[in-house]
Amino acid sequence: MTTATEISNRIIEAVMAQKLAPGSRLGEQQLAMLFDCSRTIVREALTRLATRGIVTVSARRGWYVIEPSQDEAREAFEARRVIELGLLHQLKVVDKTALRQLKSHLQREKAALAGTDVGMRSFLLGDFHVCLAECLGNSLLADTLRDFTARTTLIAMLYQSSHDAAQSCADHVRIVEALEAGDIAGAEALMSEHIGTVQSALRLQASSDPLAGLRDALAPVRKSPAQATPTVRARKPRAAPSSIPPASDPDAPADPSTYLGALL
C-alpha cells in the first residue's frame, strides 16, 4: 500500500515538474483511488504538505495547491538566497565524489534541454539546488530547499516567469566549474546572481500597495475632449418618417453586440 510519504513526494515532484499548477484541487477521494489507499493516508500526506507550505485547505473547498502572493514570492526567494549562499559561504572544499554527482546532474539537465520532456527539464533545473545541498553533506537543508524550490516553481508559473531554461542550466554549469576550481567565493557570487536573475524574470509589481489593484480599477475614466466639455446644440426640426435608415451618429453609443465582439 502507498504510504503518506510516497504520496507527498509524488505531489512535490509534480509541482517541480510544473504538472500541478497553483490552485490545483487535490481531492481526497480521487487521490485515494489513484494511489490505491485510504483517505486517511491521503489526508496525512496533504496535512504534511500543508505544514510545509505547499498545499492549503479550506473547510468548504477542500485541498488546493497554494497560490503564493507577491509578498510570499519575495520572501521565498529571500529565504532561498539566505540558505544557498550561506551553504556555500561556510564551505571549505568540495570533494571529488560531490563534484562527480553534480556533473552527472548537469549532464541530465543538458539532455533534458535537448529533449521534449518539459516536465523533466523543469524538475531537474529545480532539483539542482537540492542536489547541491545533498552533495555538500547537508540533508536537512536539502529537504528545506526542496520545499522552497517547489514554492518558487509555483511562483514562476503563477507570475509567468520569462526566465530561459538554457540560461539556468548555463548558470548551474558555471557554479559547478567555480566549485571545481576551488573558487568558493566565486561560486557564491554566481549563485547570488543566478537567484537574482530568476527572481527578476517574474512579472511582479514594483509596489506592494495592497490597494494597487482596486486603485487602478477605480481610477477616473479618461474622456475625450468632446465628451469632457459637452456643448449645447440647437434643436433640429424632427425629420419626417422615412424608410431609409438614418446615418450612424458618431456620438451615439456603440451597438452592444459590436462592443461585445470587440471584447471577444
Side-chain angles (χ1 to χ4, degrees):
M1 181 180 292
T2 309
T3 66
T5 299
E6 290 171 336
I7 295 173
S8 60
N9 287 344
R10 287 279 294 277
I11 291 174
I12 289 286
E13 290 173 2
V15 167
M16 292 177 64
Q18 297 189 3
K19 293 181 179 180
L20 279 177
S24 298
R25 188 175 186 276
L26 300 171
E28 291 183 9
Q29 185 60 41
Q30 290 84 348
L31 289 173
M33 294 172 61
L34 180 63
F35 289 105
D36 190 23
C37 63
S38 68
R39 292 181 62 175
T40 302
I41 293 177
V42 169
R43 196 174 299 115
E44 180 183 349
L46 294 174
T47 301
R48 292 181 184 179
L49 291 175
T51 303
R52 294 162 62 180
I54 305 301
V55 305
T56 185
V57 63
S58 167
R60 295 183 179 180
R61 299 173 64 236
W63 299 90
Y64 286 81
V65 178
I66 61 165
E67 297 181 90
S69 67
Q70 294 193 30
D71 286 338
E72 289 171 335
R74 294 187 183 93
E75 290 172 0
F77 276 96
E78 288 172 3
R80 278 191 57 181
R81 187 175 286 104
V82 169
I83 293 172
E84 298 192 58
L85 298 188
L87 184 64
L88 291 171
H89 186 72
Q90 56 81 39
L91 190 62
K92 302 300 181 184
V93 65
V94 184
D95 60 45
K96 294 181 179 179
T97 301
L99 287 171
R100 281 197 300 268
Q101 291 174 344
L102 288 170
K103 288 182 178 180
S104 174
H105 194 285
L106 291 178
Q107 290 302 318
R108 295 174 64 198
E109 283 187 29
K110 293 175 182 177
L113 283 173
T116 59
D117 192 338
V118 178
M120 178 59 70
R121 181 187 69 191
S122 175
F123 174 80
L124 288 172
L125 290 174
D127 193 54
F128 169 81
H129 300 268
V130 181
C131 178
L132 178 61
E134 290 175 338
C135 289
L136 298 183
N138 198 317
S139 59
L140 180 60
L141 286 183
D143 290 339
T144 303
L145 276 175
R146 183 175 289 104
D147 292 345
F148 276 115
T149 302
R151 289 174 69 90
T152 51
T153 299
L154 290 170
I155 290 164
M157 296 171 69
L158 185 62
Y159 295 104
Q160 302 176 351
S161 173
S162 60
H163 190 64
D164 183 60
Q167 182 181 352
S168 273
C169 183
D171 290 348
H172 296 168
V173 171
R174 292 166 62 202
I175 291 169
V176 173
E177 287 176 347
L179 291 174
E180 185 174 24
D183 185 6
I184 306 302
E188 185 180 346
L190 288 169
M191 180 65 78
S192 178
E193 179 185 349
H194 170 61
I195 296 174
T197 301
V198 174
Q199 183 178 5
S200 65
L202 301 175
R203 296 182 181 178
L204 296 176
Q205 295 180 3
S207 172
S208 60
D209 180 5
L211 299 178
L214 188 60
R215 193 187 311 281
D216 291 341
L218 298 181
V221 177
R222 294 181 178 179
K223 300 180 180 179
S224 65
Q227 293 175 317
T229 311
T231 57
V232 178
R233 299 182 179 180
R235 180 177 297 178
K236 296 181 180 179
R238 181 174 299 176
S242 172
S243 59
I244 301 175
S248 59
D249 182 358
D251 293 328
D255 179 10
S257 62
T258 304
Y259 179 68
L260 181 58
L263 287 179
L264 296 176

